[in-house]
Amino acid sequence: TAPNANSTGLAAWALGSACEYGRATAAADWVRDIQLSNGAVAYDQAAYAEASDSGIAENDRDQFRRATSQAALGLSYDGTATSGLTILRTGGGGYLKGGTNIVVGVSGVQATGQQPCLFVGGASTILVAQDGVARTGVTLPRRTTNLRLLATSGPGGAGITAKVLGPKKLRNINRTKRVERRGAQVVTVRGLEARESVRLKYRKPGGGFRTVKTGKASRKGIVRARFKVGNKVGLGTVRVVGEYGFRSGTKKFRVVS
């Protein structure tokens, strides 16, 4: 059977509604190519050629009406379409905790004539809106990665990159192995992510942990701290905690007289 605007337009709409945007756009582009300047869609290429040369004949008007009404559903997926979608900022621009569930919001859904979908790591979710905003749950990967989220309705769309942090044992903690009591320890930690929040804690011999530094790592993922070790001799412990508790490490040193 030769292609026609009725079935091809409906196919474009069905494929777009299932997030199959590549095939939907190809079908919609075919329909757009047989649309006249007055907006009417021809049944097929032969009808388009005849109407382009001589106008729509009286006995062909019903065919054009039926073709246009069915094909119009799919035209919103053609290559000239745009999208009013916006992904609402997730996580305030900071790091997200790997392995957790978050809610992603997409605004502008009702402003489009297409069925919008959210793509996360190759998987797609159809978006359904209330008051122009769609919300859907996303499970973050349990590893450190830049996760791309794309809300699209075919040719148009909006995307953001979510910065996800996974578990990590922080091992690169440099410290002086022996420090005289009442002296100062200097600690350098490497292996954090750029601008990752970090806390350094110190437990003096016979005591409990206290925080000696809070802040953010450098752009190279490095943080340094200097603190007094106290009067008691014995084993002291440095504990480093990154943005989340599953990113941590410890090192011991000896306080001597």
Side-chain angles (χ1 to χ4, degrees), residues 26-185:
D29 283 343
W30 186 92
V31 173
R32 185 70 75 185
D33 286 342
I34 59 172
Q35 185 179 34
L36 299 176
S37 58
N38 63 4
V41 178
Y43 176 75
D44 56 18
Q45 290 174 327
Y48 172 75
E50 183 177 347
S52 296
D53 290 338
S54 308
I56 302 174
E58 181 71 28
N59 59 347
D60 290 334
R61 289 183 179 178
D62 183 61
Q63 184 190 70
F64 268 85
R65 279 194 293 267
R66 287 184 284 110
T68 302
S69 63
Q70 294 184 55
L73 291 171
L75 283 176
S76 58
Y77 291 100
D78 85 328
T80 66
T82 58
S83 169
L85 300 178
T86 301
I87 296 183
L88 304 179
R89 192 88 183 149
T90 302
Y95 288 108
L96 301 177
K97 187 176 182 180
T100 60
N101 297 317
I102 64 171
V103 175
V104 176
V106 180
S107 65
V109 174
Q110 291 178 347
T112 69
Q114 312 100 325
Q115 171 64 65
C117 298
L118 179 71
F119 289 84
V120 181
S124 63
T125 301
I126 295 174
L127 297 174
V128 179
Q130 291 184 344
D131 298 326
V133 177
R135 293 178 175 82
T136 186
V138 173
T139 300
L140 299 175
R142 192 174 168 80
R143 68 182 188 281
T144 299
T145 185
N146 289 326
L147 184 66
R148 186 66 177 167
L149 289 82
L150 175 65
T152 181
S153 50
I160 63 170
T161 299
K163 297 174 286 187
V164 181
L165 286 183
K168 183 175 184 179
K169 184 71 173 179
L170 299 175
R171 303 181 186 277
N172 198 343
I173 305 173
N174 295 323
R175 82 290 184 212
T176 304
K177 293 183 178 180
R178 296 170 66 87
V179 180
E180 292 188 1
R181 64 191 184 105
R182 300 190 185 92
Q185 174 67 278

